[in-house]
Amino acid sequence: MSGGVSHVYVHGLNVGHDSAGIRIKSAQGRGGYVKDIYVSDVFLRNVKTAIVFTDLYGEHPDSLYNPNALPHMHKIYIQNVQGNNITMTGNFQGLSGYPFHDIFLRNITLNVTSTKIVWNCSYVTGYSESVSPSPCEELAQNKSQSSSPL
C-alpha cells in the first residue's frame, strides 16, 4: 500500500485456526493511508491474536522507497465480534509521532486463554464500548468523547 485504501466494508467474517483474525499492516516508508474501514459481525475461533494493527511490518518491494513516508491509519470501526480460544485480544503498534487514531471498538467479546498480555497498545488512540476483556487505556475512552458513526 503506497497510495491508500479507504471505504472498505467487511461483514460476516469467520476466521478459524489462524495467527490473526482482523489484521491491518503497513510500515514507515510506505506512506499513503488506511481509513474509513468498517468491520462487523465477525466470529473468531482458535486464533492467536484477534485484532492486529501494525505500522512496523517492515517489508518493502525494493530499495527505492522513501523512508520518511509515513502511513496514516485512522477511522477504523470494528463491531460485533465474538471469539473463542483466543490467545491475545489486540496488538496495536503505531509509530511514534504518527499514532493510529480514531480506532473504534464496539460490542466485542473474546474468550481469551492466555494469562499473559491480553492487549498490547502503543501509539494508538480511540474508544471502546462493551469490549471484553477490557481494552488498553489508549482505547478506553467512552463514546461521548469520540465522533464514531456506530
Side-chain angles (χ1 to χ4, degrees), residues 80-82 105-109 127-135:
N80 302 329
V81 178
Q82 301 291 314
L105 307 176
R106 181 171 155 194
N107 193 25
I108 297 174
T109 303
Y127 103 97
S128 62
E129 179 181 296
S130 300
V131 174
S132 176
S134 296

Side-chain angles (χ1 to χ4, degrees), residues 24-37:
I24 299 176
K25 57 189 180 182
S26 189
Q28 185 169 344
R30 294 233 177 230
Y33 57 84
V34 176
K35 67 178 185 174
D36 298 315
I37 309 296

